[in-house]
Structures are given as structure tokens and as C-alpha cells.
Amino acid sequence: ALRSLITAIVAEHADAATWEKLHPSTYIALLALLIASTSRTDPVHFLLTMARQESRVMIYLGAAAIIAGVTVVTEGIGELGFLVDTLLLPAVVVIVLKVTPPAQQRQIYWVLLWLVVGNALLGIGETAVNQQLIPPTNADGTPFIDAQFRPWALFGHPLNNALITGTGMIVAYPTIRNPLLRLTLPLLLLISLLAFGGRVAFVASLPALLLLVVGEFGRDVSRRRFTPTRGIFVLLLLLAVPLAVFGVFSATGLGDRILDNLVWDNSAEVRLQVFRLIDFLSTNELLFGVSATKLAYLSSRIGREGIIIENFWLVMLARMGVLLFLLFTVAFFVFLSRLWRDAAGAA
């Protein structure tokens, strides 16, 4: 099984070597970068060219390198895997795509989109039969038992699936020109969000989709590209998709988990409690960060039995400290501006 293979490859125990902790996708991306940098010229010339053409990506990579260097000096190489997978990989992918011909970029895009669609269908199917295709396991290999059944499909945890599915829907909609696909694809992905049970992903994705439809319609009107047929389609989309989702919700109970948990429950309370972590940090730790071991210890002091901190930004603040965190945040938004430039150009 795919996830079982990845779990077997990626060592999750503390004593594992750094190379064992890296996700397989990181090796694939680094291999692609190596091929791209050596196929046409020497690696040094390639990097210098990228530095001139992709200054914002290089700013981000420079910040990531500083953070990685400080981490290795203060904590050793054992914590490097997390930084490579989390910080380095997005920039590597952008550089690889930069040198990928446009035709192949489109092919990659459509393969990834249909992978998201296939994953959504799998999630709906798993919910229908109440059985995961790849049964989830804990880090020690024992079966993971969820209090309420949720599909894990191909992307692991249901919330990972919901995040990828919701994001994929918003990214994909403007690129689809076939009217039938424009109507059915968002509907399918929204129904899968009900199956995955991601409250925030569902509540955010549906309004975002409707705003996207209205915004695109407004641009068509302002550019005098409005036609009665296009107006009818937009009206149909605005009415049919929410009604269809509500119909599936009512008839099948597919979104019961979202409805049951659409309240301020313990899960929501924990996401607020995690900010108490800052109360346990000394001034020095707040400025320069804490080790992973110390962070785990501090997390155990929050609440009665301790909690797992799932807030990425809070974890990065605690691990890096305010100084490096500010460096990372500025570089990250510089990197995002580079991605936005391409997105605006594609639109």
C-alpha cells in the first residue's frame, strides 16, 4: 500500500538518521533539481542564472539556509529533516518548474488536478463502504482508531485531504473552460469535503468558490463579454451547487461530523489554548527559540494533560525565536509574492 510504503521508508523514531526522516517527495524534488541543473549547463552557472532571474526565491532560500545553519549549530543535524521538508521543498519545486517547458507544466498541472479528483472519489467511496482502502496506523505501527469514521484516501489524515481538496478546487476552477466540468467538479470536491469532515476547509471553500464565480462574472460584464448563456450558467452554478451539496448532506448524512462539530468544542478550545505556550517561554527563549525536546516538554504543561500544538506559525515562532521568525516571515511573503506574480499572469 502506498502509505504503508511511505511509512516504511520515512523513519519517525528519534534515533533515525536525517536522511531517513526526509519524505520521499523531497528526494524526488532534489533529484529533479539535480537533473535540471546539470542537463544544460554546470550547476554553478545554473544557480547564478536562477539568482538573477529568481531573486525573490533566492531571498527565501537564503533565509531558509540561515535558519537551517543556526538549527544545526544549536541542536545538531538531527533536526535538519524537518526544515528541509518544510522550508526548502517549496522553493526547489518553483525552481524546477521554472526550467520546465510550458507544455510539460500543463501536463503536470492536469495530472495533479486529476489526482485530487481521484482522491476525492476515493474518500467518498471509503465513506460509503465505511472502510479505508489504506488503514491508518500510528507511528509505532499499531492501528489508528478514530472515534468517528473518516476516510484517509491517499493523502493521509482527513484534514490533510480536506486542505488539499479545498485548495485544489479554488485553484482549478478558473482554469476549467468546459461548462459541464465547471459545474460538476466543484460539486464533487465539495461533497468530498463533507466526507473528510474538515470544518474550516468546507466552511471556507464554499463561500470562496461562490465569490470566485461572482468575481469572474463581474469581470466579464466590465469587459463586455457578458452573454445570456453565460449569465444563466453563473446563476445555475450559484444556485445548483449549494442546493446539491445540501441535498447530499440531508439525504446521506455525509456531513454529520461537520454539523455535529460546528460548535466551539474541545478541538476549537485547544487551538486557543496553545497560545499559552508563550507564557512558559523566558525572554531568551522567546528571542532565540527552544529545542524540539523543550517544546515537547512545554506542550505537556499546557492544559491538564498536555496538548499537541498543531499551529504551524506558533511552532515556528517557538522553535526559531522572534528574530529568526521575523526573518522567515518576511522571506516567506516575498516568496509568496513571486507565486502571486505567476498566478496573476496565468489569470
Side-chain angles (χ1 to χ4, degrees), residues 243-317:
L243 287 175
V245 170
F246 179 76
V248 171
F249 179 83
S250 302
T252 66
L254 196 61
D256 284 349
R257 182 184 177 92
I258 292 178
L259 182 62
D260 294 342
N261 295 300
L262 205 58
V263 294
W264 189 268
D265 58 3
N266 182 64
S267 177
E269 183 65 28
V270 164
R271 281 156 175 76
L272 187 62
Q273 287 183 1
V274 295
F275 288 96
R276 289 185 55 205
L277 172 69
I278 298 175
D279 297 335
F280 296 103
L281 297 175
S282 66
T283 302
N284 186 69
E285 290 171 336
L286 188 60
L287 287 175
F288 302 105
V290 299
S291 66
T293 304
K294 182 65 178 291
L295 178 59
Y297 167 71
L298 293 177
S299 301
S300 69
R301 298 180 60 188
I302 302 175
R304 293 181 179 179
E305 300 178 356
I307 59 177
I308 298 175
I309 300 177
E310 297 179 336
N311 185 317
F312 168 81
W313 294 99
L314 185 59
V315 170
M316 296 301 281
L317 173 62

Side-chain angles (χ1 to χ4, degrees), residues 52-113:
R52 290 194 300 270
Q53 297 179 356
E54 295 290 345
S55 58
R56 283 179 279 191
V57 176
M58 291 302 162
I59 289 173
Y60 174 77
L61 278 176
I66 292 172
I67 293 168
V70 172
T71 301
V72 170
V73 170
T74 57
E75 300 184 43
I77 200 170
E79 298 299 325
L80 195 59
F82 161 74
L83 295 174
V84 171
D85 280 344
T86 305
L87 303 186
L88 179 65
L89 192 56
V92 170
V93 170
V94 169
I95 292 174
V96 170
L97 288 176
K98 170 74 176 180
V99 296
T100 302
Q104 292 183 11
Q105 289 184 25
R106 288 190 289 270
Q107 291 173 352
I108 293 171
Y109 168 76
W110 287 109
V111 167
L112 292 177
L113 175 58

Side-chain angles (χ1 to χ4, degrees), residues 181-201:
L181 280 179
R182 282 200 137 196
L183 188 62
T184 56
L185 201 60
L187 178 60
L188 169 67
L189 296 180
L190 283 169
I191 291 173
S192 73
L193 287 178
L194 292 177
F196 292 128
R199 291 177 294 182
V200 174

